[in-house]
Amino acid sequence: MHKIDHQKKQMISRTLKSWKSHASYWLSLAIIIGLLSGLLLIAQAWLLSHIINAVVFQSADLASQLPWLLSMLAIFLIRAILGWATEQAGFHAAIRVKLNLRKQLYRHIQQLGTAWLSHKRSGDISNALSDGIEALEAYYAKYLPAVSLAALIPLSMLIFIFPADWISALMMLATAPLIIIFMIFIGHGTEKRNQKQWRQLAYLSSHFLDVIQGLTTLKLFNASRREAQAVANISDDYRIATMSVLRIAFLSSLALEFFASISIALVAVIIGFRLFYGEIDFHYGFFILLLAPEFYFPLRNMGTQYHARLDAIGAAERIIEILKTPLANTSTTQTTIPSLADNHIYFENVSFRYPDGRTALENINLKIPAKQTLAIIGASGSGKTSLINLLMGFISPSSGSIKIGDTPLNTIELKSWRQQLAWQAQQPRIFPATVADNIRLGQPQISLNKVKIAAQQAYADQFIEQLPKGYDTLIGEGGHGLSGGQIQRIALARAFLKDAPLVILDEATANLDQHSEQLIQQAIQQLCKNRTVIMIAHRLHTIEQADCIAVLDKGKLMATGTHESLLVHCKHYQAMLQNKQHEESQS
């Protein structure tokens, strides 16, 4: 188990280092500027020791040392500018990494699709996209430059100290590893606590977001106080984990400062005795004393920033898990998409099993005729959604194949395939943007005139024009301010605007008032003309109007046919129809 954890940490560390390629220029610039500032610091110490030695021991006046004083002042100013530039370069490096990584993560989650998202907690994903990526900033902005400078600046100082006093150089070289060894020792003890803290933060975030999203339901069932207590308990666990990490962080900072102070004091004492006995010139001795604190500072700074590495490892763990989740269709073959107007869609012995071994679909053989409407019916858990997810490429068959005419679906690039279909879920997603932008979703280049035509076809134009700013009216998150029927009509307008040859619908008329239902049914009838339409059907009217009906039960295809033929030959369909008639009569 320990070996597995060690390998996992090594993998995370390698991945973090590979991500720095997104900002290699800015990181190199931060290191170069930091090194230049370190070299100027050596020059500054040399000038100061030279001036004091000349004034105190060589009886020189300050006027004669004015050029050296002005040079030292210039170095002060340049080092201040370089310090600011180093921080800016590190900051830009972190920004580049975060932007590229967030874009990569968004794209990967989008390609994984709704089938993957439906089994994940939205708070967990949100935490990875926001806090997780933000936690990487200090790693790239401060830790990586600090690691390089911790090696480059002390070595640069030793190059100048060795000719001046090799004994002091050897003492510094011998004491410096103490700080590094102690930092590694502390790091091993902190790493597990830090990863545990991040896991608890992710759980707290996901749980809290789920509670907020379900607050209305919790109130209805009088369970809000219980969940509030659960959030409080989780928060307390996170507090304890955080304080555990901080306790070690403060202890390690104290220990690093202690070892650095002892090392500096040791160098100072030895130089003091050697000055007393005349074994070293004051100029060189004072120069080394000035450099001694600066020699250990990069090492102490790396120890301080080491906690940024621990935070990054904890945050990156979840990000890497998401990025390593395989996509449903990993085929690199791009085949020309056959015309959906002329080719049928075939499911040939298609089965799908979940990772835990549960069977969702088993040996499905189904023909979806071109330019016809197929209604898929079945009880909850019968496999309707899995079948649609397979067709949209969100998941891949465990066995069997899906073909468009004679072309296997897994040889077609997913992006090209999805451009050929329009999908409307039972609860469409509305984004916080204008009405027009919500209709032209994914097609920003579409003109407003075409948006209006699509809205007219979806019977959405009347209520849109009554809004305060018409098509430029901003809509709240999740369609806040709109009714369910209005949201459905905006989603239908998207489908009309896309004008895809394949339309996939999840009963769009469910849970609506009679007027909205009639308008949406009329719009759907127009949408279905000259297109291949697949709909998950819940209402009798929708089922009866379909050209073909597929009956699913427990992942198996029980029968296919028209409404009239299934009424005669399929007992399962007859029983299902009777249940639906009873449900609709009760509602």
Side-chain angles (χ1 to χ4, degrees), residues 286-505:
F286 190 55
F287 170 65
I288 295 167
L289 281 176
L290 289 173
L291 285 185
E294 305 300 334
F295 176 85
Y296 295 103
F297 177 76
L299 298 172
R300 284 155 41 211
N301 184 49
M302 183 178 69
T304 302
Q305 301 303 334
Y306 188 75
H307 296 285
R309 175 182 178 271
L310 299 179
D311 284 341
I313 288 176
E317 183 180 7
R318 182 63 182 131
I319 296 171
I320 294 170
E321 283 179 10
I322 296 173
L323 290 175
K324 285 190 174 292
T325 304
L327 301 175
N329 186 352
T330 57
S331 172
T332 55
T333 305
Q334 184 173 356
T335 304
T336 303
I337 301 175
S339 170
L340 287 168
D342 305 318
N343 288 277
H344 307 315
I345 300 172
Y346 299 95
F347 283 71
E348 297 180 350
N349 298 313
V350 171
S351 297
F352 176 73
R353 293 174 183 82
Y354 293 109
D356 59 8
R358 290 180 297 118
T359 299
L361 294 170
E362 186 176 354
N363 294 327
I364 300 295
N365 286 282
L366 176 64
K367 172 185 174 183
I368 303 173
K371 292 187 177 181
Q372 289 193 20
T373 300
L374 171 71
I376 304 172
I377 66 169
S380 178
S382 60
K384 304 186 296 295
T385 302
S386 296
L387 191 141
I388 295 299
N389 285 333
L390 284 168
L391 188 59
M392 291 192 290
F394 291 141
I395 53 179
S396 296
S398 302
S399 60
S401 64
I402 303 171
K403 292 183 177 180
I404 316 301
D406 295 326
T407 305
L409 181 59
N410 62 1
T411 63
I412 302 172
E413 186 188 33
L414 271 177
K415 183 178 179 181
S416 301
W417 166 244
R418 288 173 182 164
Q419 288 174 347
Q420 305 301 310
L421 58 89
W423 172 48
Q424 180 172 347
Q426 190 172 0
Q427 295 180 337
R429 183 67 179 172
I430 300 295
F431 296 92
T434 64
V435 174
D437 287 339
N438 266 283
I439 293 175
R440 60 162 74 96
L441 185 66
Q443 304 177 90
Q445 73 284 356
I446 298 294
S447 67
L448 181 60
N449 186 50
K450 291 183 178 180
V451 169
K452 290 181 177 180
I453 293 172
Q456 290 171 2
Q457 292 172 314
Y459 297 100
D461 57 318
Q462 292 182 354
F463 84 82
I464 293 174
E465 290 172 356
Q466 292 175 359
L467 294 172
K469 294 184 180 179
Y471 287 85
D472 292 326
T473 302
L474 286 171
I475 307 176
E477 178 72 34
H480 181 72
L482 299 179
S483 69
Q486 290 171 339
I487 291 173
Q488 288 287 0
R489 278 178 275 171
I490 287 177
L492 278 172
R494 290 174 184 167
F496 277 108
L497 187 63
K498 190 170 185 181
D499 194 24
L502 173 60
V503 177
I504 300 173
L505 302 171

